[in-house]
Amino acid sequence: ADRLPKAHVSGLVVVEDLWPVGVFTQEQALAARDLPTTTPVEEVMSPAILLLAVDTPLYRAAEQAAAVDVRRVIVLQNGRLTGIVTGLDFVRATV
């Protein structure tokens, strides 16, 4: 939870063995603020993620994100995490 404001980000991708398994956002950080600091992130992260290839067209990524009701799309290239596209990124692309 301490890393979010320090990194100036609203969420982190949680990985296990280099594979994305969830996201930990400001929302989860707020919900976990009264938990012990030793609480594993897996207990509060959201496992609802969408993984798409880097060459997925932006409109297709937006459609799929809306269909499964996620705010972040985890982008993979050759099976490796390369970035995140957020709802704000989708908006910026349409302006």
Side-chain angles (χ1 to χ4, degrees):
D2 292 338
R3 292 182 183 184
L4 297 176
K6 289 177 185 175
H8 304 289
V9 296
S10 62
L12 300 171
V13 178
V14 180
V15 297
E16 184 174 324
D17 298 323
L18 300 177
W19 188 255
V21 294
V23 293
F24 180 75
T25 66
Q26 289 174 331
E27 184 179 340
Q28 282 94 24
L30 288 172
R33 69 179 175 264
D34 294 329
L35 295 174
T37 57
T38 56
T39 302
V41 72
E42 68 184 340
E43 289 187 21
V44 294
M45 73 176 195
S46 171
I49 58 174
L50 176 60
L51 306 174
L52 294 176
V54 70
D55 59 351
T56 303
L58 194 56
Y59 76 92
R60 180 84 54 195
E63 287 174 347
Q64 291 185 23
V68 296
D69 195 28
V70 296
R71 295 182 183 178
R72 292 168 180 82
V73 176
I74 310 304
V75 181
L76 303 175
Q77 184 172 22
N78 299 322
R80 299 205 54 155
L81 173 68
T82 56
I84 302 170
V85 179
T86 67
L88 186 56
D89 295 323
F90 290 127
V91 171
R92 286 182 182 143
T94 62
V95 175

